[in-house]
Amino acid sequence: MRPYAFGVDVGGTTVKMGIFHTSGDLLEKWEISTRTENGGEQILPDIAASVREMLKKRKISMEDVEGIGIGVPGAVRENSVVDRCVNLGWGVVPVRDILSSLLDGCRVMVGNDANVAALGEIWKGGGEGARSMVMVTLGTGIGGGIILDGKILNGAFGAAGEIGHICINEEEDAVCGCGKKGHLEQYASANGIAKTARKMLDETTEESSLKALEKVTSKDVFDAAKQQDKVAVRIVERVGQILGKALAAVACVVDPEVFVIGGGVSKAGPMVTDVIRKYFVKYAFHASEGARFELARLGNDAGIYGAVRMLM
Amino acid sequence: MRPYAFGVDVGGTTVKMGIFHTSGDLLEKWEISTRTENGGEQILPDIAASVREMLKKRKISMEDVEGIGIGVPGAVRENSVVDRCVNLGWGVVPVRDILSSLLDGCRVMVGNDANVAALGEIWKGGGEGARSMVMVTLGTGIGGGIILDGKILNGAFGAAGEIGHICINEEEDAVCGCGKKGHLEQYASANGIAKTARKMLDETTEESSLKALEKVTSKDVFDAAKQQDKVAVRIVERVGQILGKALAAVACVVDPEVFVIGGGVSKAGPMVTDVIRKYFVKYAFHASEGARFELARLGNDAGIYGAVRMLM
């Protein structure tokens, strides 16, 4: 294996980039803007130019580069063709072929960003050492990435690991971002937790520090729960129950060794994994009860780590 | 590859056996009794003796046998050691080593019976040609087997595909066979359908041919629905909704190309797959909506086919 590799994580606002030793050490990371105008036609040329600049700065020859791994926010077909990235303005884009031709035929591997981040976490993060993992990203929505036997599970239609869209309430009236109703992320993402909190606060006459807030966030809920605010504790328990039950169902399907919890909500720390695990054990099939729950460790770097890992 | 192979499917009452050409053709199948007395110590010697007898009868030398594939009703560790088969009286049994030593060091592969049957169905049955499949066996309970990229998914604790134990009703009082409550198989296995039917019949004043029956079976429900019995049609819809919603959750995890529905309930034919698929589409994440639904085709032979497939 050649000594250097690039990891690239394309987001709607910035592209995160890193240069690695192929031993796994991150040498340097940086960001460039994502230029989404004109159908995002400048994104790949910008990335290629930034790779060349870094090579020049570090006096590294292209011959010493193993490849470029790249995670994108959309579905990726098996042949590394990307099929729509709404946030980038992309339709069908043969990312591998374009980027490779911009970089002298360099090897390029492409993956969905959530799946790639999961690969990063099992390599150097919360799932380190495990062979199978389900990564759950509790952010604006709920993202998921599944690693089995060290490899990303993409699914027949690119939708493996879309656990935020498990329907948990068929009687819900509010619509999920995907257009259907009653999905997990409507109740237990950062936004979902805020909504769940608002509803539970409205339904109780009990006092709570949260009632003084104009807008309650997921962070507010966990902070108040840590201060023993009783209503906040109940909200955390309810969210833990929703997530623990859903992940117990996930375990009935893929039975992973470890669940890694990431995203903004996970910044509340072990309280998050503890309450999810408590209800997971209640609802899981007995054989799967031993699955571990870990916090994600790589934060925003999971994508560039996983992108490099794809090359190996 | 050598020209012959044996497929063995060990059940609590009989052991199903088959001799195959390794091209995939079943040459002959037969059964022997499962002797469960004394901790099931005679089961593997009986299988070995039956293999030798067949070789003698067909004048085939052990050198022309590629191996023995064997499915067992219990958890199988990665090293082909079986960890408890309650129905066989087995504790921890190194099946591969014992059977191999009884048959001159012949190659032996061991798998969980539900997973092995799934492998049979994707090889020569309802999932033929697919690369990923979820097999759902609607029998006394609900069994599941998951094939990804042509291989059985076992899970970190041997519990992958245990979809009958997805909790769908946290308020249920009745206990599932596994000891927990509100699991899918309590409502939608053959036994579960009978219970669901009894409950819905008790709750309606509407006339139904089912009310005349002393004991309503799953088959009775589907037969009556085919005769347009309105209550029976509603029961079928309810069961389809329960299964379709659960399989939509399964698709959010592994996103398979095809679901294959087997077991006694599937004998009712396309009405079963049609009604499950109808609700699956309602609840599925949009990208997975195109998953196919097929009836299992190998019936009781799925296990011996899949057992042979493991050797390849």
Side-chain angles (χ1 to χ4, degrees), chain A residues 78 131-132 146 148 153-163 165-168 170 178 180 183 241 245 249-257 281-291, chain B residues 78 131-132 146 148 153-163 165-168 170 178 180 183 241 245 249-257 281-291:
Chain A
E78 272 184 57
R131 290 185 58 190
S132 62
I146 298 178
L148 299 175
L153 178 67
N154 288 304
F157 306 98
E162 285 286 1
I163 60 175
H165 299 285
I166 293 175
C167 178
I168 63 163
E170 61 208 68
C178 75
K180 293 192 177 179
H183 288 186
Q241 182 185 29
K245 188 180 166 200
V250 170
C252 287
V253 185
V254 288
D255 184 32
E257 190 175 332
V281 170
K282 177 174 178 187
Y283 293 112
F285 183 58
H286 58 82
S288 301
E289 279 175 13
Chain B
E78 273 185 54
R131 290 186 57 191
S132 62
I146 298 179
L148 299 175
L153 179 66
N154 287 306
F157 306 97
E162 285 286 1
I163 60 176
H165 298 286
I166 293 175
C167 177
I168 64 164
E170 58 209 72
C178 74
K180 294 192 178 180
H183 287 186
Q241 183 186 28
K245 188 179 166 202
V250 170
C252 286
V253 187
V254 287
D255 185 32
E257 190 176 331
V281 170
K282 177 174 178 188
Y283 293 111
F285 184 58
H286 58 81
S288 302
E289 279 176 12

Side-chain angles (χ1 to χ4, degrees), chain A residues 179-193:
Chain A
K180 293 192 177 179
K181 292 175 182 174
H183 288 186
L184 180 62
E185 71 174 33
Q186 293 181 263
Y187 308 91
S189 63
N191 287 351
I193 292 170

Side-chain angles (χ1 to χ4, degrees), chain A residues 223-252:
Chain A
D223 285 347
K226 284 173 189 167
Q227 300 301 320
Q228 313 298 330
D229 182 286
K230 278 187 189 166
V231 180
V233 168
R234 278 215 305 278
I235 299 169
V236 167
E237 290 284 322
R238 178 75 190 121
V239 168
Q241 182 185 29
I242 289 169
L243 283 167
K245 188 180 166 200
L247 297 185
V250 170
C252 287

Side-chain angles (χ1 to χ4, degrees), chain A residues 27 36 115 127 146 154-155 215 219 238 268 297:
Chain A
L27 302 176
T36 55
N115 292 342
I146 298 178
N154 288 304
K215 190 170 164 275
K219 181 175 185 306
R238 178 75 190 121
R297 290 202 311 242

Side-chain angles (χ1 to χ4, degrees), chain A residues 61 86 106 115 173 178 232 271:
Chain A
S61 143
V86 179
C106 181
N115 292 342
D173 291 322
C178 75
M271 180 183 255

